[in-house]
Amino acid sequence: MARTGNSRRTFMAGAAAGTAGALAAAGAAEAATAPAAVPTTRPADGTGTGAGRRVAVLGGGVAGLTAAHELAERGYAVTVYERRALGGKARSMDVPGSARGSRRPLPAEHGFRFIPGIYHNLPDTMRRIPFPGNANGVWDNLVAPREMMFARAGGREDLRAPIPWQGHDPAELTPDEIRRALTGILQTLVRLPLHETAYFVDRALVFLTSCDERRDEVWERTPWWEFTRAGRMSSEYQRILAIGVTRNIVATKAEEASTRTVGTLGEAFVFNALGRGADGPPDRILNLPTNEAWIDPWEAHLRSLGVEFRIGWTVREVRYGDGRVSGVLVEDPAGVRQTVVADHYVSALPVEHARRTWSPALRAADPMLGRCDKLKTDWMTGIQFYLTERAPLVHGHLNCIDSPWSLTAIQQAEHWPARDFPADYGDGAAVDCLSVDISEWDKPGILYGKTAKQCTREEVAREVWAQLKASLNDTGSTLLRDGALHSWFLDPGVDGLGTPNPTNEDELLIHPTGTFHNRPTAGTRIPNFFLSGDYVAVDIDLATMEGANASARAAVNALLDRDGSPAARCAVKKLYRAPEIEEFKRHDRWRYRLGLRNVFDLG
C-alpha cells in the first residue's frame, strides 16, 4: 500500500505493536523525539552549494521525489527517471473513459493514503510544497477522520468508536498510566475477555520497556504470534490482535511477522494517541485525490527548482567500473537504450525492481546489496467501488476483520469538501468512492472459493463486494445495495489474474522475522551510489511513505558528505521516545546483558 504504503498500510498500524493494539486493528490498520544528528537548517536560497554537480535519481515515487527536492534546494542539477508516473504507489490516477462533459475522470488509486501523526519527515516536506491558499502548503490538505470501525460478519455487532487524540502532552507517562490507557482502549473497542485484555497489555508493556538490544536481537527474531501467545487465546484475540494486525500492517502472517516491527509501530501509535511527540492526530488523510492534493503540486514545485523529469524511461542496469558507478543503462519511451552519466546516482526504485538493476560488479563492490535479495515482498492492492448513493457506514476507516481477504476501506467523498463528487467527476451518476485495500491474496474467498490471485479481475470485484456486504449487511440493515453500485476499478498494476502466473507491479516489502538485519543503509561502499526507498534502514521500521522520505533524506546527507558539501544536512527526525520510559529501558539493558527477562515479562 503507498500500501509504499504503504502508507495506507500503516492505517491499521495503530494496533500494530501490542502497544497500540486497538488503535491499529480497530481501524486507525516519532526525549523528546531524538534530535537529528545533523544540522536541520535548509539552505537559504538553494543555490551555489551543489552548483555544477549532476545527480540522476532513479525512480519517481515518494523516495525519488524527496531526494530530488532536497538536492535541488541545495543547488544540484537533478534529473528523475521514472518508468510509469510520478508518485509511484502513492499516486492517484484516472479511470480511463469515465469522464463526461466537463467533468474530471473518476479518481482511482493503488490504495487509500494514510498519513498518521507519528510521521514527521514527510509532513515537513509537505509543508514546503506550495498550494494555493494554504499557509502551510500541501500539509494543510490533511484532514482527520472522526472515527473508525471493526466490521464483523455473521451477525455480530460491529465495533465503532471515535479516534482517541488528546492533542497535548500528558503531564505524566508511566507504565501504570499506559496500562490503564491501553486497557481502556481494548475494553472499549475489542471487548475481549478480561484476562486476555490484561495479558495483552502486559505484553505491550514488555515491549515498551525493552531496551534496543533486546528489540534488535530477541524481538526481531520472535514472531508476533509467539510474542502475544496467540495460540493460547480465544479466536477473537487471534483474529483481531494477531492475524488482523499483522496482515493489515506488514502484509505478513502472524506466525512470521517480526515482533520488533509490529511493536515499534504500535508503540508509536500509543504515544500519538496520548498526544506525545506527534505531528497531528493518529489518523489523517488528504482532502482531495492524492495527485490533486499533493503529487501534482510537488511536481510543479520541483520543476520550479530546476528538476528535470524523464517519464516513461526504464532503468535497466546500474553499471560499475573503476571503483564507482560509471553510468546507468536506461530505455526511453521509444525503446531506445542509452547510458546516463552523472556525478552521483540515487537509486529510489522499490527493492524488487532496484535489485534487478544492480550489475554483478556493483553487487561485488558492496555485499550489503546482495543481502537485499533476502528481503521479501507481498501483495496489497486497492480496488475502488463507485456508488450512486452515499452508504451510511462510518466517518473514517473500517476494517472488515472477518473477511478472508483482510479488507480495509474508507468512503472518500465526505472527506473531499472542496469537491462536489457527482458534479466534478465521472458521468454525474456516481456520488461517492468506496476505496478498498485487499491485504490477503492467497486465501479462498466466500463467493467462488478461490484465492484473489486465482480469480479474474471481474471475479475479484464481485468477491470483494460480497465480502464487504457480508461484514456490513449482516445485522439487519442493508448498508451496501447492489443497485447502488455504479462501477469499479482495480489497480492496473495487477495483471494475469486467473492465470497460472499473475503479476503485481507494486508489491510491498513485508517484515518476517530477521528482516531488520537485511535492510541496507542509504550510503553504500560505492562512493557515488546511494539508496533510498521504503526498504532502506531508517528509524520507522516499516515500508511506509515516511520511511521512503526519511531514507531519501539520509541518502542526500550521505551524498553531501561524500561530496564535501558545505550545505546544511537534511533533518531526519526519529520516532518519539518518551523520557519517562527511557529509565526502564536502561534497567532492561542491564537485565538483558545478564541474561534476564524484562521485568514485566511474566512468560
Side-chain angles (χ1 to χ4, degrees), residues 224-240:
W224 181 247
W225 182 273
E226 178 182 327
F227 179 79
T228 58
R229 308 295 193 269
R232 308 176 187 175
M233 303 299 178
S234 66
S235 60
E236 196 83 346
Y237 181 106
Q238 294 173 356
R239 182 169 293 278
I240 297 174

Side-chain angles (χ1 to χ4, degrees), residues 10 44 72 174 187 219 264 287 293 319 367 370 429 493 522 524-525 527 578 602:
T10 48
T174 66
Q187 289 179 349
W219 302 143
T264 297
N287 64 1
R319 292 175 166 172
T524 74
R525 295 184 183 181
L602 304 178

